[in-house]
Amino acid sequence: MRALLRVLPWLLFACASEPKAPVAPTPPAAPAAPVAAVAPAAPAAPAAPAAPLEGAKPEINADFRKPDMDVASWVQRFEGESREIAAARDAIAAELELKPGESVADIGAGTGLFEEPFARAVGAQGTVYAVDISPAFLEHLRQRTKEAGWSQVKVVACDDHDTKLPPASVNAAFICDTYHHFEHPADTLASLRRAMKPGGRLVVVDFEREPGQSRDWVLEHVRCGKQQVRAEIEQAGFRFTREAALPGLTENYVLEFAAPR
Ligand SMILES: C[S@@+](CC[C@H](N)C(=O)[O-])C[C@H]1O[C@@H](n2cnc3c(N)ncnc32)[C@H](O)[C@@H]1O
């Protein structure tokens, strides 16, 4: 008995220090299912080439192209107070926010209705490009510029694809009742975009054309309405900025855009 008592502590100690049952090893994580390889995107079907923009029919400019055109009758027509554009001329010109020393291009300058307010706004240090395709209007513009002594006005003979303006030369461009005369609007707009300084302003005035509302003459003469004009100009890379509502304009809208910076 005495011998048993002597070994008992040792037995208890030995039991207490039994190695614990080994913890079942965590089974190795099942290998992650292979991530399904992302199939390379099927090559996009080549975009159908955009339909070339249909411009105005050449007949619309036939009279303007005649070298012996009666300019005086057009001066009456374009500059008489009965034309809402002429009556609102100064308010329209102010939309360009011209500053002294800037350059502005009047695309389709016609008889030169806007040259005076533009020349005044940019001052002697600025430049007004009076751009047109009509030989008779160009000659008239040269005469008018000389007689008025506007040293800042430069008359530019363009063609129906190209404004012929120097690259990055204008802070602002103006297209008044002329957009619907463009026979190749995409080309003309591309050349205008090249001529714009970064962020330059573009103001377009043209006839509202609403089937069922507009006069028959407008429906026949003007090829498309405001939404289409805006879409074409945006397509050419200009950003639409706003439509201005000017007092006195009931038949014409005013859309404003910015060239990319
Ligand atoms: C209806 S008149 C407007 C004239 C002037 N902007 C005004 O409002 O009094 C249209 C003018 O655009 C000109 N024009 C036609 N196609 C043009 C083009 N692709 N580039 C520049 N001028 C053009 C015509 O010769 C004409 O002088």
Side-chain angles (χ1 to χ4, degrees):
M1 183 63 185
R2 208 175 277 166
L4 181 63
L5 286 173
R6 231 180 283 135
V7 298
L8 191 60
W10 290 104
L11 279 174
L12 288 172
F13 175 77
C15 285
S17 20
E18 248 335 58
K20 294 201 173 83
V23 177
T26 311
V35 176
V38 178
L53 235 174
E54 274 273 331
K57 301 274 174 280
E59 301 84 70
I60 198 169
N61 293 312
D63 281 345
F64 300 140
R65 285 195 165 97
K66 290 181 184 154
D68 59 349
M69 175 180 70
D70 178 9
V71 175
S73 72
W74 287 102
V75 172
Q76 266 182 5
R77 197 159 151 184
F78 288 161
E79 305 196 15
E81 282 287 304
S82 63
R83 183 183 180 213
E84 67 176 27
I85 295 288
R89 180 187 75 161
D90 289 353
I92 296 171
E95 281 302 301
L96 281 98
E97 297 183 344
L98 295 170
K99 295 167 203 63
E102 283 195 327
S103 61
V104 56
D106 183 3
I107 313 294
T111 56
L113 174 63
F114 283 89
E115 275 36 82
E116 196 264 323
F118 289 168
R120 204 176 342 115
V122 300
Q125 303 310 313
T127 307
V128 179
Y129 293 105
V131 183
D132 211 289
I133 57 164
S134 162
F137 279 155
L138 289 165
E139 187 46 38
H140 170 78
L141 288 165
R142 285 185 201 105
Q143 276 295 120
R144 192 171 183 171
T145 298
K146 198 169 150 196
E147 281 164 21
W150 295 322
S151 57
Q152 65 274 58
V153 177
K154 296 189 184 346
V155 176
V156 177
C158 74
D159 66 32
D160 52 16
H161 285 270
D162 192 328
T163 59
K164 306 280 186 187
L165 290 166
S169 60
V170 300
N171 299 99
F174 181 60
I175 305 175
C176 183
D177 282 355
T178 294
Y179 190 85
H180 68 267
H181 281 260
F182 288 167
E183 293 167 43
H184 306 281
D187 290 355
T188 297
L189 287 171
S191 83
L192 179 57
R193 204 186 129 176
R194 289 193 294 276
M196 303 293 297
K197 294 189 183 190
R201 304 154 334 253
L202 167 63
V203 174
V204 177
V205 180
D206 218 305
F207 285 99
E208 292 280 6
R209 186 189 188 282
E210 296 280 354
Q213 286 179 33
S214 304
R215 295 187 278 147
D216 285 348
W217 178 83
V218 172
L219 295 176
E220 280 159 28
H221 179 78
V222 177
R223 75 175 167 87
C224 65
K226 177 168 67 184
Q227 296 309 329
Q228 172 78 14
V229 169
R230 174 177 164 178
E232 291 178 9
I233 294 173
E234 288 178 313
Q235 182 72 27
F238 291 87
R239 181 173 56 82
F240 173 73
T241 49
R242 74 180 202 120
E243 176 170 4
L246 298 188
L249 293 192
T250 57
E251 251 202 333
N252 286 264
Y253 57 80
V254 181
L255 297 182
E256 303 185 9
F257 302 84
R261 291 214 161 262

